[in-house]
Short mmCIF file of all heavy atoms in Angstrom, two decimals:
data_model
loop_
_atom_site.label_atom_id
_atom_site.label_comp_id
_atom_site.label_asym_id
_atom_site.label_seq_id
_atom_site.Cartn_x
_atom_site.Cartn_y
_atom_site.Cartn_z
N LEU L 5 4.29 1.71 -11.80
CA LEU L 5 4.71 2.83 -10.96
C LEU L 5 5.12 2.35 -9.57
O LEU L 5 6.14 2.78 -9.02
CB LEU L 5 3.57 3.84 -10.84
CG LEU L 5 3.86 5.12 -10.04
CD1 LEU L 5 4.95 5.92 -10.71
CD2 LEU L 5 2.60 5.95 -9.91
N ILE L 6 4.34 1.45 -8.99
CA ILE L 6 4.68 0.89 -7.69
C ILE L 6 6.03 0.20 -7.75
O ILE L 6 6.88 0.38 -6.87
CB ILE L 6 3.59 -0.10 -7.22
CG1 ILE L 6 2.32 0.66 -6.84
CG2 ILE L 6 4.08 -0.94 -6.04
CD1 ILE L 6 1.13 -0.24 -6.52
N GLU L 7 6.26 -0.58 -8.78
CA GLU L 7 7.50 -1.33 -8.91
C GLU L 7 8.70 -0.39 -8.99
O GLU L 7 9.77 -0.67 -8.45
CB GLU L 7 7.45 -2.22 -10.15
CG GLU L 7 8.60 -3.21 -10.26
CD GLU L 7 8.62 -4.22 -9.12
OE1 GLU L 7 7.54 -4.57 -8.60
OE2 GLU L 7 9.73 -4.65 -8.75
N ASN L 8 8.52 0.77 -9.63
CA ASN L 8 9.62 1.71 -9.81
C ASN L 8 9.88 2.58 -8.58
O ASN L 8 10.98 3.10 -8.40
CB ASN L 8 9.34 2.63 -11.02
CG ASN L 8 9.44 1.88 -12.33
OD1 ASN L 8 10.11 0.85 -12.42
ND2 ASN L 8 8.75 2.37 -13.35
N ARG L 9 8.87 2.77 -7.74
CA ARG L 9 9.00 3.73 -6.65
C ARG L 9 8.91 3.12 -5.25
O ARG L 9 9.06 3.82 -4.26
CB ARG L 9 7.94 4.82 -6.79
CG ARG L 9 8.01 5.56 -8.10
CD ARG L 9 7.06 6.73 -8.13
NE ARG L 9 7.51 7.81 -7.28
CZ ARG L 9 8.44 8.70 -7.60
NH1 ARG L 9 9.09 8.59 -8.74
NH2 ARG L 9 8.78 9.67 -6.79
N LYS L 10 8.70 1.82 -5.16
CA LYS L 10 8.55 1.19 -3.86
C LYS L 10 9.87 1.16 -3.09
O LYS L 10 10.95 1.20 -3.68
CB LYS L 10 8.03 -0.24 -4.03
CG LYS L 10 9.05 -1.18 -4.67
CD LYS L 10 8.50 -2.58 -4.83
CE LYS L 10 9.55 -3.50 -5.44
NZ LYS L 10 9.06 -4.88 -5.63
N THR L 11 9.76 1.11 -1.78
CA THR L 11 10.89 0.83 -0.92
C THR L 11 10.74 -0.61 -0.45
O THR L 11 9.80 -1.30 -0.83
CB THR L 11 10.91 1.76 0.30
OG1 THR L 11 9.71 1.49 1.08
CG2 THR L 11 10.92 3.22 -0.11
N ARG L 12 11.66 -1.07 0.39
CA ARG L 12 11.51 -2.43 0.91
C ARG L 12 10.25 -2.56 1.77
O ARG L 12 9.73 -3.66 1.96
CB ARG L 12 12.75 -2.85 1.71
CG ARG L 12 12.88 -2.18 3.07
CD ARG L 12 13.99 -2.82 3.91
NE ARG L 12 13.99 -2.30 5.26
CZ ARG L 12 14.68 -1.26 5.66
NH1 ARG L 12 15.45 -0.61 4.78
NH2 ARG L 12 14.62 -0.85 6.91
N GLU L 13 9.77 -1.40 2.29
CA GLU L 13 8.55 -1.42 3.10
C GLU L 13 7.29 -1.40 2.25
O GLU L 13 6.19 -1.64 2.74
CB GLU L 13 8.53 -0.22 4.05
CG GLU L 13 9.66 -0.22 5.09
CD GLU L 13 10.93 0.44 4.56
OE1 GLU L 13 10.91 0.97 3.42
OE2 GLU L 13 11.93 0.43 5.28
N GLY L 14 7.42 -1.06 0.97
CA GLY L 14 6.27 -1.05 0.08
C GLY L 14 6.01 0.32 -0.52
O GLY L 14 6.93 1.11 -0.73
N ALA L 15 4.74 0.60 -0.78
CA ALA L 15 4.36 1.87 -1.40
C ALA L 15 2.95 2.22 -0.95
O ALA L 15 2.21 1.37 -0.46
CB ALA L 15 4.41 1.77 -2.92
N ILE L 16 2.60 3.50 -1.09
CA ILE L 16 1.26 3.97 -0.77
C ILE L 16 0.67 4.60 -2.03
O ILE L 16 1.32 5.45 -2.67
CB ILE L 16 1.28 4.99 0.39
CG1 ILE L 16 1.81 4.31 1.66
CG2 ILE L 16 -0.11 5.55 0.64
CD1 ILE L 16 1.98 5.26 2.82
N VAL L 17 -0.53 4.19 -2.36
CA VAL L 17 -1.24 4.74 -3.52
C VAL L 17 -2.42 5.55 -3.01
O VAL L 17 -3.22 5.05 -2.21
CB VAL L 17 -1.72 3.61 -4.46
CG1 VAL L 17 -2.46 4.20 -5.66
CG2 VAL L 17 -0.56 2.75 -4.91
N ILE L 18 -2.50 6.81 -3.44
CA ILE L 18 -3.55 7.71 -2.96
C ILE L 18 -4.28 8.31 -4.15
O ILE L 18 -3.66 8.79 -5.10
CB ILE L 18 -2.97 8.85 -2.10
CG1 ILE L 18 -2.09 8.28 -0.97
CG2 ILE L 18 -4.07 9.72 -1.51
CD1 ILE L 18 -1.35 9.35 -0.18
N ASP L 19 -5.59 8.30 -4.10
CA ASP L 19 -6.40 8.99 -5.09
C ASP L 19 -6.11 10.49 -4.98
O ASP L 19 -6.12 11.05 -3.89
CB ASP L 19 -7.88 8.70 -4.81
CG ASP L 19 -8.80 9.19 -5.92
OD1 ASP L 19 -8.60 10.32 -6.42
OD2 ASP L 19 -9.75 8.46 -6.25
N SER L 20 -5.83 11.14 -6.10
CA SER L 20 -5.46 12.56 -6.07
C SER L 20 -6.59 13.45 -5.58
O SER L 20 -6.35 14.60 -5.20
CB SER L 20 -5.00 13.02 -7.46
OG SER L 20 -6.06 12.90 -8.40
N THR L 21 -7.82 12.93 -5.56
CA THR L 21 -8.94 13.72 -5.05
C THR L 21 -9.13 13.54 -3.54
O THR L 21 -10.01 14.18 -2.95
CB THR L 21 -10.25 13.33 -5.75
OG1 THR L 21 -10.59 11.97 -5.42
CG2 THR L 21 -10.12 13.45 -7.27
N ALA L 22 -8.33 12.68 -2.92
CA ALA L 22 -8.52 12.37 -1.50
C ALA L 22 -8.17 13.56 -0.61
O ALA L 22 -7.15 14.23 -0.80
CB ALA L 22 -7.66 11.18 -1.10
N THR L 23 -9.04 13.81 0.36
CA THR L 23 -8.75 14.80 1.39
C THR L 23 -8.08 14.10 2.56
O THR L 23 -7.79 12.90 2.49
CB THR L 23 -10.04 15.49 1.87
OG1 THR L 23 -10.83 14.52 2.59
CG2 THR L 23 -10.84 16.03 0.70
N TYR L 24 -7.85 14.83 3.65
CA TYR L 24 -7.27 14.23 4.85
C TYR L 24 -8.36 13.97 5.89
O TYR L 24 -8.08 13.82 7.07
CB TYR L 24 -6.20 15.16 5.43
CG TYR L 24 -5.18 14.46 6.29
CD1 TYR L 24 -4.32 13.52 5.74
CD2 TYR L 24 -5.06 14.75 7.65
CE1 TYR L 24 -3.37 12.89 6.52
CE2 TYR L 24 -4.11 14.12 8.44
CZ TYR L 24 -3.27 13.18 7.86
OH TYR L 24 -2.33 12.54 8.64
N LEU L 25 -9.59 13.88 5.40
CA LEU L 25 -10.74 13.65 6.29
C LEU L 25 -11.06 12.16 6.36
O LEU L 25 -10.74 11.39 5.44
CB LEU L 25 -11.96 14.43 5.78
CG LEU L 25 -11.78 15.94 5.67
CD1 LEU L 25 -13.01 16.58 5.04
CD2 LEU L 25 -11.51 16.55 7.05
N LYS L 26 -11.70 11.77 7.44
CA LYS L 26 -11.96 10.36 7.71
C LYS L 26 -12.77 9.71 6.61
O LYS L 26 -12.57 8.53 6.29
CB LYS L 26 -12.69 10.22 9.06
CG LYS L 26 -12.84 8.80 9.54
CD LYS L 26 -13.45 8.77 10.93
CE LYS L 26 -13.57 7.35 11.46
NZ LYS L 26 -14.15 7.30 12.82
N GLU L 27 -13.68 10.45 6.01
CA GLU L 27 -14.56 9.84 5.00
C GLU L 27 -13.82 9.44 3.72
O GLU L 27 -14.36 8.72 2.88
CB GLU L 27 -15.72 10.78 4.63
CG GLU L 27 -15.29 12.16 4.17
CD GLU L 27 -15.44 13.19 5.28
OE1 GLU L 27 -15.23 12.83 6.46
OE2 GLU L 27 -15.78 14.34 4.95
N ASP L 28 -12.58 9.90 3.58
CA ASP L 28 -11.81 9.55 2.38
C ASP L 28 -10.78 8.45 2.64
O ASP L 28 -9.89 8.23 1.80
CB ASP L 28 -11.09 10.80 1.84
CG ASP L 28 -11.99 11.62 0.92
OD1 ASP L 28 -13.10 11.16 0.63
OD2 ASP L 28 -11.57 12.72 0.51
N VAL L 29 -10.89 7.76 3.76
CA VAL L 29 -9.89 6.76 4.11
C VAL L 29 -9.81 5.65 3.07
O VAL L 29 -8.73 5.06 2.84
CB VAL L 29 -10.19 6.16 5.52
CG1 VAL L 29 -11.48 5.36 5.51
CG2 VAL L 29 -9.03 5.31 6.01
N GLU L 30 -10.91 5.37 2.37
CA GLU L 30 -10.91 4.32 1.37
C GLU L 30 -10.17 4.72 0.09
O GLU L 30 -10.00 3.89 -0.81
CB GLU L 30 -12.35 3.91 1.03
CG GLU L 30 -13.07 3.23 2.20
CD GLU L 30 -14.46 2.76 1.83
OE1 GLU L 30 -14.89 3.05 0.70
OE2 GLU L 30 -15.10 2.11 2.68
N LYS L 31 -9.74 5.97 0.02
CA LYS L 31 -8.97 6.41 -1.14
C LYS L 31 -7.46 6.27 -0.92
O LYS L 31 -6.67 6.68 -1.77
CB LYS L 31 -9.31 7.87 -1.47
CG LYS L 31 -10.75 8.07 -1.94
CD LYS L 31 -11.02 9.53 -2.30
CE LYS L 31 -12.45 9.71 -2.79
NZ LYS L 31 -12.73 11.13 -3.16
N TYR L 32 -7.09 5.71 0.21
CA TYR L 32 -5.68 5.46 0.54
C TYR L 32 -5.44 3.96 0.49
O TYR L 32 -6.16 3.17 1.12
CB TYR L 32 -5.33 5.98 1.93
CG TYR L 32 -5.33 7.49 2.05
CD1 TYR L 32 -6.53 8.20 2.08
CD2 TYR L 32 -4.14 8.20 2.13
CE1 TYR L 32 -6.53 9.59 2.19
CE2 TYR L 32 -4.13 9.58 2.24
CZ TYR L 32 -5.34 10.27 2.27
OH TYR L 32 -5.33 11.64 2.38
N TYR L 33 -4.42 3.54 -0.25
CA TYR L 33 -4.12 2.12 -0.41
C TYR L 33 -2.65 1.88 -0.06
O TYR L 33 -1.76 2.60 -0.50
CB TYR L 33 -4.37 1.67 -1.85
CG TYR L 33 -5.72 2.07 -2.39
CD1 TYR L 33 -5.89 3.29 -3.04
CD2 TYR L 33 -6.83 1.25 -2.23
CE1 TYR L 33 -7.13 3.67 -3.53
CE2 TYR L 33 -8.07 1.62 -2.72
CZ TYR L 33 -8.21 2.84 -3.36
OH TYR L 33 -9.44 3.22 -3.84
N GLU L 34 -2.44 0.84 0.73
CA GLU L 34 -1.06 0.48 1.11
C GLU L 34 -0.68 -0.80 0.40
O GLU L 34 -1.43 -1.78 0.40
CB GLU L 34 -0.97 0.29 2.63
CG GLU L 34 0.43 0.01 3.12
CD GLU L 34 0.51 -0.08 4.62
OE1 GLU L 34 0.20 0.92 5.29
OE2 GLU L 34 0.88 -1.14 5.13
N TRP L 35 0.47 -0.78 -0.23
CA TRP L 35 0.96 -1.96 -0.95
C TRP L 35 2.27 -2.40 -0.34
O TRP L 35 3.15 -1.58 -0.06
CB TRP L 35 1.17 -1.60 -2.43
CG TRP L 35 1.68 -2.76 -3.26
CD1 TRP L 35 0.94 -3.62 -4.01
CD2 TRP L 35 3.04 -3.18 -3.41
NE1 TRP L 35 1.74 -4.54 -4.62
CE2 TRP L 35 3.04 -4.30 -4.26
CE3 TRP L 35 4.25 -2.72 -2.90
CZ2 TRP L 35 4.21 -4.97 -4.63
CZ3 TRP L 35 5.42 -3.38 -3.24
CH2 TRP L 35 5.39 -4.50 -4.11
N LYS L 36 2.41 -3.69 -0.11
CA LYS L 36 3.70 -4.21 0.34
C LYS L 36 3.84 -5.66 -0.11
O LYS L 36 2.85 -6.36 -0.34
CB LYS L 36 3.84 -4.12 1.86
CG LYS L 36 2.80 -4.86 2.67
CD LYS L 36 3.03 -4.62 4.16
CE LYS L 36 1.97 -5.31 5.00
NZ LYS L 36 2.20 -5.07 6.45
N SER L 37 5.08 -6.08 -0.24
CA SER L 37 5.37 -7.44 -0.69
C SER L 37 5.09 -8.43 0.43
O SER L 37 5.39 -8.17 1.60
CB SER L 37 6.83 -7.56 -1.12
OG SER L 37 7.13 -6.70 -2.19
N ASN L 38 4.52 -9.56 0.08
CA ASN L 38 4.33 -10.66 1.01
C ASN L 38 5.04 -11.88 0.47
O ASN L 38 4.95 -12.20 -0.71
CB ASN L 38 2.83 -10.97 1.19
CG ASN L 38 2.12 -9.92 2.00
OD1 ASN L 38 2.62 -9.49 3.03
ND2 ASN L 38 0.95 -9.49 1.54
N TYR L 39 5.78 -12.53 1.34
CA TYR L 39 6.53 -13.71 0.93
C TYR L 39 5.98 -14.94 1.64
O TYR L 39 5.73 -14.92 2.85
CB TYR L 39 8.02 -13.53 1.26
CG TYR L 39 8.62 -12.35 0.57
CD1 TYR L 39 8.70 -11.11 1.21
CD2 TYR L 39 9.10 -12.44 -0.74
CE1 TYR L 39 9.24 -10.00 0.57
CE2 TYR L 39 9.63 -11.33 -1.39
CZ TYR L 39 9.70 -10.13 -0.73
OH TYR L 39 10.24 -9.03 -1.36
N CYS L 40 5.77 -16.00 0.89
CA CYS L 40 5.20 -17.22 1.44
C CYS L 40 6.15 -18.39 1.21
O CYS L 40 6.80 -18.49 0.15
CB CYS L 40 3.85 -17.53 0.79
SG CYS L 40 2.61 -16.24 1.04
N ILE L 41 6.23 -19.28 2.18
CA ILE L 41 6.97 -20.52 2.00
C ILE L 41 6.08 -21.67 2.47
O ILE L 41 5.23 -21.50 3.34
CB ILE L 41 8.30 -20.53 2.79
CG1 ILE L 41 8.03 -20.35 4.29
CG2 ILE L 41 9.26 -19.49 2.27
CD1 ILE L 41 9.28 -20.55 5.14
N ASN L 42 6.27 -22.82 1.86
CA ASN L 42 5.54 -24.01 2.27
C ASN L 42 6.27 -24.67 3.43
O ASN L 42 7.49 -24.86 3.39
CB ASN L 42 5.42 -24.99 1.10
CG ASN L 42 4.54 -24.45 0.00
OD1 ASN L 42 3.54 -23.80 0.27
ND2 ASN L 42 4.91 -24.72 -1.25
N VAL L 43 5.54 -25.00 4.47
CA VAL L 43 6.15 -25.63 5.64
C VAL L 43 5.31 -26.82 6.08
O VAL L 43 4.15 -26.95 5.72
CB VAL L 43 6.27 -24.65 6.83
CG1 VAL L 43 7.16 -23.47 6.46
CG2 VAL L 43 4.90 -24.16 7.30
N ILE L 44 5.93 -27.68 6.87
CA ILE L 44 5.23 -28.79 7.50
C ILE L 44 5.08 -28.46 8.97
O ILE L 44 6.07 -28.20 9.67
CB ILE L 44 6.02 -30.10 7.33
CG1 ILE L 44 6.18 -30.43 5.85
CG2 ILE L 44 5.32 -31.25 8.07
CD1 ILE L 44 7.10 -31.59 5.59
N VAL L 45 3.84 -28.39 9.45
CA VAL L 45 3.59 -28.07 10.84
C VAL L 45 3.80 -29.32 11.69
O VAL L 45 3.13 -30.33 11.48
CB VAL L 45 2.16 -27.52 11.03
CG1 VAL L 45 1.88 -27.25 12.51
CG2 VAL L 45 1.98 -26.24 10.21
#
């Protein structure tokens, strides 16, 4: 689902039971692509 609906900025996954209250913050998940390259410092 994430792969089909993501933008270049990523996607947000929310538990359908989540409220907008502070105690439910752990039911919100942010997904985004991270790109890594090997470098010599």
Side-chain angles (χ1 to χ4, degrees):
L5 183 63
I6 289 173
E7 190 63 31
N8 290 336
R9 302 187 72 80
K10 69 180 181 180
T11 63
R12 73 170 188 269
E13 296 87 4
I16 297 175
V17 180
I18 307 173
D19 189 317
S20 62
T21 65
T23 68
Y24 203 65
L25 301 175
K26 188 175 182 180
E27 55 259 34
D28 275 354
V29 67
E30 293 183 355
K31 294 182 179 181
Y32 291 75
Y33 310 90
E34 184 176 299
W35 180 95
K36 59 183 178 180
S37 299
N38 287 315
Y39 300 94
C40 299
I41 59 172
N42 292 323
V43 299
I44 299 172
V45 177

